Amino acid sequence: MGYLDILQGMTLEQISAVMEVLQQCSDSYLFILDLNTDVYMVSEKATKRFPFDNTVIENSTQVLKEVVYPSDYAMLKADIEKCTSGEQDTHALEYRWLDRKSRVVWISCRGTVVTGAEGHRLLVGRVSELGKKAKADNLTGLRREARFRLNAESLLRDKPESIRYIMRIGIDNFKEINEKEGVEAGDEVLQELAECILKVVDEKVDVYRLMADEFMVVDAADADFKNPRTVYDEIQKKIANMVKKKEYSRFYTVSAGVMEKDFAGKSAEEILRLTEFTLNEAKRNGRNQMALYHQASYDEYLKRLDMRKALRRAINNQFQGFEVYYQPIVSVPDYQLVGAEALLRWHSQEYGNVSPAVFIPILEESGLIIPVGRHVLWEAAGICKKWQTYIPDFHVNVNLSYVQLYRSDLMKDVEKCINDVGIDPDSLILELTESGYIETNERIKELFRELKEKKIDLALDDFGTGYSNMRYLKEIEAKTVKIDRSFVVQALQNEYDYNIISHIIDMVHSLGSSVCMEGIEEKEELAKMMKTNPDMIQGYYFGKPSPAGQFEEQFLHIKDSL
Ligand code: C2E
Ligand code: MG
Ligand code: MG
């Protein structure tokens, strides 16, 4: 005979007597709720911690309203109603109560419906405090996230102005340590870091360990104030010393995200979210540093997330709103059309026309540039094939992102595209921006060798911006160097830059590559820059980027009528 069977048919008083006996050997609070009469019986222990006036409570739906955290009440009521109506026979919820001092207490409530005397439906069960379970972390001796939530919730509600800062600390390379040196090494690092933090902050300052490798410091202490910048710097120094003492056997650094104000009205959940964002900002900025929370950058981040969602939707919807534009590239000195650069455009209902300078980085961050890049490649190759009926050796330039090089099998895609479309490999030119990675990455070097073998040419894009380096030219053996508009504009304005461009062009020629000059808008600009001896020109003067149909009309159909 099971525990519940014993209760069947008992009166409320009898069950309550059993309950008080059981209560002696449990950490939880036992209860019975008569679903027919709305009478609630709770163990005496519960009345000490929570604002129940009595162990027997009439009209409990009303009374519980005082004990349950206001925004959780509707959820609880709906669940109890299901038990009353017979729709369900068990009750299991995690939600919040308020203790006698109105502090939030997370509880787990579980119960089962039994049929008591007179056929009443009785919900019998227990309430246990979640915080008690996850109170402390054996590894670091710190309190865990569950406790942070509980404490932060009441602090934020009762005394948000007392919070001086909240700092979330994360280890920059924790995964690496665990993977390379084993979990024990990871555990040691966590212990070490916990020690460092505790040594730096006042003992009245609260320190918690969150999941995995993150810690939370909450300063709402009645102690001398040490500002978060100093706290972070000192922690960094302590770690560096520790690492040095152990002869760099286990090298690690930490980043931190800090909130200093505007705590009022926020929930613990929000604090967790905002500090996580800020910590990630510090990591995105290059790790081993501290970032401060700013509402404006968080809003910006949310906007980017929304745009990322819209981009993903558009991609899943057959690339809706994406269109490949083409800008003419002409040869020098005859200004004949020899090719076009494929330039992606995106129009969304929500955002209108979005500049590639905005949406390309979002596609890159999210890896979405891989399917989009494939889409552009196939479109551009298809158009190139079509336009070769007008100009047999017409070529198309397609921009590539480093994400495509690193995270997709680019060689396979390019080969498949060339086969699918049926164009000569040398009709396709892949444009790459210079980047410090090329020199060091073997896989990418291998990719360049393969491309060369397959006779697919590369162009070095954006030359003159960032760190222009002739070595890249050698590394990627670019057939063409594309001089960026910003560099051309400078050369048009001053003699010095003009001379540099002129010399660069000579040098590129002596290395056997050609030069495409971008951004020529006016006749005078053309006249002046022609003297530097470029091989190709791409600029508004000869044509702005336009949709394929318009490009055809403007630049290719003339050929029909010739
Ligand atoms: P980019 O590859 O250097 O492309 C040249 C940019 O210069 C284009 O900007 C083009 O419209 C602009 N331009 C050309 N001539 C002139 C001119 O005479 N005056 C002015 N003011 N601008 C001129 P756009 O189309 O806005 O593209 C910006 C960048 O976005 C591109 O720079 C490229 O890095 C990136 N991008 C565009 N499409 C793709 C794509 O399909 N994949 C990847 N990965 N990146 C792309
Ligand atoms: Mg380009
Ligand atoms: Mg360019």
Side-chain angles (χ1 to χ4, degrees), residues 263-285:
F263 295 107
K266 290 199 168 62
S267 64
E269 196 60 46
E270 266 175 292
I271 300 293
L272 282 165
R273 205 168 52 232
L274 298 180
T275 50
E276 185 182 12
F277 159 76
T278 313
L279 174 58
N280 284 337
E281 283 249 293
K283 290 186 179 180
R284 270 195 293 273
N285 292 341

PDB file of all heavy atoms in Angstrom, residues 263-285:
ATOM      1  N   PHE A 263      20.117  50.626 -11.734  1.00  0.00           N
ATOM      2  CA  PHE A 263      19.694  49.300 -11.322  1.00  0.00           C
ATOM      3  C   PHE A 263      18.198  49.241 -11.018  1.00  0.00           C
ATOM      4  O   PHE A 263      17.574  48.200 -11.146  1.00  0.00           O
ATOM      5  CB  PHE A 263      20.487  48.844 -10.088  1.00  0.00           C
ATOM      6  CG  PHE A 263      21.948  48.663 -10.382  1.00  0.00           C
ATOM      7  CD1 PHE A 263      22.888  49.575  -9.919  1.00  0.00           C
ATOM      8  CD2 PHE A 263      22.380  47.587 -11.139  1.00  0.00           C
ATOM      9  CE1 PHE A 263      24.234  49.404 -10.201  1.00  0.00           C
ATOM     10  CE2 PHE A 263      23.726  47.405 -11.432  1.00  0.00           C
ATOM     11  CZ  PHE A 263      24.655  48.321 -10.960  1.00  0.00           C
ATOM     12  N   ALA A 264      17.640  50.404 -10.616  1.00  0.00           N
ATOM     13  CA  ALA A 264      16.245  50.415 -10.177  1.00  0.00           C
ATOM     14  C   ALA A 264      15.339  49.921 -11.296  1.00  0.00           C
ATOM     15  O   ALA A 264      15.514  50.276 -12.464  1.00  0.00           O
ATOM     16  CB  ALA A 264      15.845  51.828  -9.761  1.00  0.00           C
ATOM     17  N   GLY A 265      14.383  49.078 -10.924  1.00  0.00           N
ATOM     18  CA  GLY A 265      13.400  48.607 -11.900  1.00  0.00           C
ATOM     19  C   GLY A 265      13.878  47.413 -12.712  1.00  0.00           C
ATOM     20  O   GLY A 265      13.143  46.875 -13.528  1.00  0.00           O
ATOM     21  N   LYS A 266      15.117  46.969 -12.489  1.00  0.00           N
ATOM     22  CA  LYS A 266      15.607  45.821 -13.264  1.00  0.00           C
ATOM     23  C   LYS A 266      15.469  44.545 -12.428  1.00  0.00           C
ATOM     24  O   LYS A 266      15.516  44.575 -11.205  1.00  0.00           O
ATOM     25  CB  LYS A 266      17.067  46.038 -13.655  1.00  0.00           C
ATOM     26  CG  LYS A 266      17.237  47.149 -14.694  1.00  0.00           C
ATOM     27  CD  LYS A 266      18.556  47.067 -15.426  1.00  0.00           C
ATOM     28  CE  LYS A 266      18.611  47.980 -16.630  1.00  0.00           C
ATOM     29  NZ  LYS A 266      18.473  49.396 -16.307  1.00  0.00           N
ATOM     30  N   SER A 267      15.310  43.419 -13.126  1.00  0.00           N
ATOM     31  CA  SER A 267      15.223  42.136 -12.421  1.00  0.00           C
ATOM     32  C   SER A 267      16.599  41.475 -12.449  1.00  0.00           C
ATOM     33  O   SER A 267      17.476  41.888 -13.212  1.00  0.00           O
ATOM     34  CB  SER A 267      14.222  41.227 -13.128  1.00  0.00           C
ATOM     35  OG  SER A 267      14.693  40.942 -14.428  1.00  0.00           O
ATOM     36  N   ALA A 268      16.756  40.438 -11.633  1.00  0.00           N
ATOM     37  CA  ALA A 268      18.035  39.714 -11.609  1.00  0.00           C
ATOM     38  C   ALA A 268      18.318  39.142 -12.996  1.00  0.00           C
ATOM     39  O   ALA A 268      19.452  39.118 -13.461  1.00  0.00           O
ATOM     40  CB  ALA A 268      17.980  38.602 -10.572  1.00  0.00           C
ATOM     41  N   GLU A 269      17.239  38.675 -13.618  1.00  0.00           N
ATOM     42  CA  GLU A 269      17.350  38.125 -14.972  1.00  0.00           C
ATOM     43  C   GLU A 269      17.967  39.151 -15.940  1.00  0.00           C
ATOM     44  O   GLU A 269      18.860  38.847 -16.721  1.00  0.00           O
ATOM     45  CB  GLU A 269      15.924  37.760 -15.426  1.00  0.00           C
ATOM     46  CG  GLU A 269      15.854  36.836 -16.618  1.00  0.00           C
ATOM     47  CD  GLU A 269      16.544  35.507 -16.364  1.00  0.00           C
ATOM     48  OE1 GLU A 269      16.320  34.925 -15.296  1.00  0.00           O
ATOM     49  OE2 GLU A 269      17.326  35.097 -17.244  1.00  0.00           O
ATOM     50  N   GLU A 270      17.457  40.367 -15.849  1.00  0.00           N
ATOM     51  CA  GLU A 270      17.977  41.423 -16.737  1.00  0.00           C
ATOM     52  C   GLU A 270      19.445  41.712 -16.445  1.00  0.00           C
ATOM     53  O   GLU A 270      20.232  41.915 -17.355  1.00  0.00           O
ATOM     54  CB  GLU A 270      17.168  42.717 -16.527  1.00  0.00           C
ATOM     55  CG  GLU A 270      16.021  42.876 -17.500  1.00  0.00           C
ATOM     56  CD  GLU A 270      15.216  44.105 -17.155  1.00  0.00           C
ATOM     57  OE1 GLU A 270      14.570  44.086 -16.081  1.00  0.00           O
ATOM     58  OE2 GLU A 270      15.233  45.066 -17.942  1.00  0.00           O
ATOM     59  N   ILE A 271      19.774  41.756 -15.161  1.00  0.00           N
ATOM     60  CA  ILE A 271      21.177  42.011 -14.789  1.00  0.00           C
ATOM     61  C   ILE A 271      22.073  40.926 -15.370  1.00  0.00           C
ATOM     62  O   ILE A 271      23.146  41.204 -15.894  1.00  0.00           O
ATOM     63  CB  ILE A 271      21.339  42.068 -13.244  1.00  0.00           C
ATOM     64  CG1 ILE A 271      20.478  43.186 -12.651  1.00  0.00           C
ATOM     65  CG2 ILE A 271      22.797  42.203 -12.837  1.00  0.00           C
ATOM     66  CD1 ILE A 271      20.901  44.595 -13.014  1.00  0.00           C
ATOM     67  N   LEU A 272      21.592  39.679 -15.297  1.00  0.00           N
ATOM     68  CA  LEU A 272      22.386  38.588 -15.863  1.00  0.00           C
ATOM     69  C   LEU A 272      22.581  38.793 -17.358  1.00  0.00           C
ATOM     70  O   LEU A 272      23.665  38.616 -17.896  1.00  0.00           O
ATOM     71  CB  LEU A 272      21.692  37.241 -15.603  1.00  0.00           C
ATOM     72  CG  LEU A 272      21.866  36.695 -14.190  1.00  0.00           C
ATOM     73  CD1 LEU A 272      20.877  35.583 -13.903  1.00  0.00           C
ATOM     74  CD2 LEU A 272      23.291  36.177 -13.992  1.00  0.00           C
ATOM     75  N   ARG A 273      21.504  39.200 -18.015  1.00  0.00           N
ATOM     76  CA  ARG A 273      21.566  39.389 -19.472  1.00  0.00           C
ATOM     77  C   ARG A 273      22.493  40.553 -19.843  1.00  0.00           C
ATOM     78  O   ARG A 273      23.328  40.442 -20.723  1.00  0.00           O
ATOM     79  CB  ARG A 273      20.150  39.657 -19.989  1.00  0.00           C
ATOM     80  CG  ARG A 273      19.982  39.288 -21.437  1.00  0.00           C
ATOM     81  CD  ARG A 273      18.540  39.265 -21.865  1.00  0.00           C
ATOM     82  NE  ARG A 273      17.822  40.462 -21.534  1.00  0.00           N
ATOM     83  CZ  ARG A 273      16.671  40.500 -20.881  1.00  0.00           C
ATOM     84  NH1 ARG A 273      16.102  39.388 -20.497  1.00  0.00           N
ATOM     85  NH2 ARG A 273      16.070  41.643 -20.625  1.00  0.00           N
ATOM     86  N   LEU A 274      22.328  41.672 -19.151  1.00  0.00           N
ATOM     87  CA  LEU A 274      23.100  42.873 -19.491  1.00  0.00           C
ATOM     88  C   LEU A 274      24.586  42.708 -19.168  1.00  0.00           C
ATOM     89  O   LEU A 274      25.444  43.156 -19.925  1.00  0.00           O
ATOM     90  CB  LEU A 274      22.529  44.099 -18.771  1.00  0.00           C
ATOM     91  CG  LEU A 274      21.080  44.439 -19.142  1.00  0.00           C
ATOM     92  CD1 LEU A 274      20.612  45.669 -18.383  1.00  0.00           C
ATOM     93  CD2 LEU A 274      20.926  44.677 -20.638  1.00  0.00           C
ATOM     94  N   THR A 275      24.877  42.048 -18.045  1.00  0.00           N
ATOM     95  CA  THR A 275      26.298  41.856 -17.718  1.00  0.00           C
ATOM     96  C   THR A 275      26.918  40.839 -18.678  1.00  0.00           C
ATOM     97  O   THR A 275      28.090  40.949 -19.026  1.00  0.00           O
ATOM     98  CB  THR A 275      26.508  41.389 -16.262  1.00  0.00           C
ATOM     99  OG1 THR A 275      25.650  40.276 -16.019  1.00  0.00           O
ATOM    100  CG2 THR A 275      26.208  42.486 -15.271  1.00  0.00           C
ATOM    101  N   GLU A 276      26.117  39.885 -19.122  1.00  0.00           N
ATOM    102  CA  GLU A 276      26.630  38.915 -20.094  1.00  0.00           C
ATOM    103  C   GLU A 276      26.982  39.639 -21.395  1.00  0.00           C
ATOM    104  O   GLU A 276      28.053  39.422 -21.980  1.00  0.00           O
ATOM    105  CB  GLU A 276      25.585  37.836 -20.369  1.00  0.00           C
ATOM    106  CG  GLU A 276      26.118  36.754 -21.281  1.00  0.00           C
ATOM    107  CD  GLU A 276      25.088  35.693 -21.626  1.00  0.00           C
ATOM    108  OE1 GLU A 276      23.878  35.898 -21.337  1.00  0.00           O
ATOM    109  OE2 GLU A 276      25.484  34.686 -22.209  1.00  0.00           O
ATOM    110  N   PHE A 277      26.090  40.518 -21.812  1.00  0.00           N
ATOM    111  CA  PHE A 277      26.350  41.301 -23.024  1.00  0.00           C
ATOM    112  C   PHE A 277      27.633  42.118 -22.869  1.00  0.00           C
ATOM    113  O   PHE A 277      28.486  42.140 -23.748  1.00  0.00           O
ATOM    114  CB  PHE A 277      25.150  42.215 -23.318  1.00  0.00           C
ATOM    115  CG  PHE A 277      25.491  43.379 -24.201  1.00  0.00           C
ATOM    116  CD1 PHE A 277      25.667  43.207 -25.563  1.00  0.00           C
ATOM    117  CD2 PHE A 277      25.665  44.653 -23.669  1.00  0.00           C
ATOM    118  CE1 PHE A 277      26.006  44.266 -26.386  1.00  0.00           C
ATOM    119  CE2 PHE A 277      26.013  45.725 -24.473  1.00  0.00           C
ATOM    120  CZ  PHE A 277      26.185  45.528 -25.838  1.00  0.00           C
ATOM    121  N   THR A 278      27.774  42.771 -21.711  1.00  0.00           N
ATOM    122  CA  THR A 278      28.931  43.648 -21.504  1.00  0.00           C
ATOM    123  C   THR A 278      30.233  42.843 -21.437  1.00  0.00           C
ATOM    124  O   THR A 278      31.247  43.258 -21.994  1.00  0.00           O
ATOM    125  CB  THR A 278      28.736  44.490 -20.225  1.00  0.00           C
ATOM    126  OG1 THR A 278      27.409  45.032 -20.248  1.00  0.00           O
ATOM    127  CG2 THR A 278      29.724  45.633 -20.159  1.00  0.00           C
ATOM    128  N   LEU A 279      30.163  41.695 -20.784  1.00  0.00           N
ATOM    129  CA  LEU A 279      31.351  40.825 -20.745  1.00  0.00           C
ATOM    130  C   LEU A 279      31.723  40.402 -22.175  1.00  0.00           C
ATOM    131  O   LEU A 279      32.904  40.410 -22.552  1.00  0.00           O
ATOM    132  CB  LEU A 279      31.067  39.599 -19.863  1.00  0.00           C
ATOM    133  CG  LEU A 279      32.135  38.518 -19.831  1.00  0.00           C
ATOM    134  CD1 LEU A 279      33.470  39.058 -19.369  1.00  0.00           C
ATOM    135  CD2 LEU A 279      31.708  37.364 -18.925  1.00  0.00           C
ATOM    136  N   ASN A 280      30.712  40.070 -22.959  1.00  0.00           N
ATOM    137  CA  ASN A 280      31.003  39.681 -24.350  1.00  0.00           C
ATOM    138  C   ASN A 280      31.587  40.834 -25.148  1.00  0.00           C
ATOM    139  O   ASN A 280      32.412  40.615 -26.034  1.00  0.00           O
ATOM    140  CB  ASN A 280      29.743  39.153 -25.046  1.00  0.00           C
ATOM    141  CG  ASN A 280      29.421  37.751 -24.579  1.00  0.00           C
ATOM    142  OD1 ASN A 280      30.305  37.041 -24.105  1.00  0.00           O
ATOM    143  ND2 ASN A 280      28.168  37.364 -24.679  1.00  0.00           N
ATOM    144  N   GLU A 281      31.161  42.050 -24.821  1.00  0.00           N
ATOM    145  CA  GLU A 281      31.730  43.225 -25.491  1.00  0.00           C
ATOM    146  C   GLU A 281      33.233  43.290 -25.222  1.00  0.00           C
ATOM    147  O   GLU A 281      34.025  43.535 -26.125  1.00  0.00           O
ATOM    148  CB  GLU A 281      31.088  44.509 -24.957  1.00  0.00           C
ATOM    149  CG  GLU A 281      29.705  44.766 -25.502  1.00  0.00           C
ATOM    150  CD  GLU A 281      29.709  45.959 -26.426  1.00  0.00           C
ATOM    151  OE1 GLU A 281      29.940  47.078 -25.931  1.00  0.00           O
ATOM    152  OE2 GLU A 281      29.500  45.746 -27.635  1.00  0.00           O
ATOM    153  N   ALA A 282      33.583  43.085 -23.945  1.00  0.00           N
ATOM    154  CA  ALA A 282      35.005  43.113 -23.571  1.00  0.00           C
ATOM    155  C   ALA A 282      35.770  42.048 -24.345  1.00  0.00           C
ATOM    156  O   ALA A 282      36.873  42.273 -24.828  1.00  0.00           O
ATOM    157  CB  ALA A 282      35.160  42.897 -22.070  1.00  0.00           C
ATOM    158  N   LYS A 283      35.145  40.883 -24.489  1.00  0.00           N
ATOM    159  CA  LYS A 283      35.811  39.798 -25.218  1.00  0.00           C
ATOM    160  C   LYS A 283      35.896  40.125 -26.712  1.00  0.00           C
ATOM    161  O   LYS A 283      36.913  39.872 -27.346  1.00  0.00           O
ATOM    162  CB  LYS A 283      35.074  38.480 -25.003  1.00  0.00           C
ATOM    163  CG  LYS A 283      35.238  37.962 -23.585  1.00  0.00           C
ATOM    164  CD  LYS A 283      34.635  36.587 -23.431  1.00  0.00           C
ATOM    165  CE  LYS A 283      34.826  36.069 -22.022  1.00  0.00           C
ATOM    166  NZ  LYS A 283      34.262  34.746 -21.820  1.00  0.00           N
ATOM    167  N   ARG A 284      34.812  40.690 -27.223  1.00  0.00           N
ATOM    168  CA  ARG A 284      34.818  41.063 -28.655  1.00  0.00           C
ATOM    169  C   ARG A 284      35.885  42.126 -28.942  1.00  0.00           C
ATOM    170  O   ARG A 284      36.481  42.149 -30.000  1.00  0.00           O
ATOM    171  CB  ARG A 284      33.454  41.616 -29.076  1.00  0.00           C
ATOM    172  CG  ARG A 284      32.487  40.551 -29.583  1.00  0.00           C
ATOM    173  CD  ARG A 284      31.323  41.216 -30.300  1.00  0.00           C
ATOM    174  NE  ARG A 284      30.493  41.986 -29.397  1.00  0.00           N
ATOM    175  CZ  ARG A 284      29.485  41.483 -28.702  1.00  0.00           C
ATOM    176  NH1 ARG A 284      29.170  40.222 -28.831  1.00  0.00           N
ATOM    177  NH2 ARG A 284      28.768  42.238 -27.890  1.00  0.00           N
ATOM    178  N   ASN A 285      36.097  43.019 -27.974  1.00  0.00           N
ATOM    179  CA  ASN A 285      37.092  44.086 -28.175  1.00  0.00           C
ATOM    180  C   ASN A 285      38.527  43.572 -28.098  1.00  0.00           C
ATOM    181  O   ASN A 285      39.467  44.356 -28.186  1.00  0.00           O
ATOM    182  CB  ASN A 285      36.922  45.183 -27.125  1.00  0.00           C
ATOM    183  CG  ASN A 285      35.639  45.943 -27.327  1.00  0.00           C
ATOM    184  OD1 ASN A 285      35.063  45.906 -28.411  1.00  0.00           O
ATOM    185  ND2 ASN A 285      35.165  46.632 -26.296  1.00  0.00           N
TER     186      ASN A 285
END
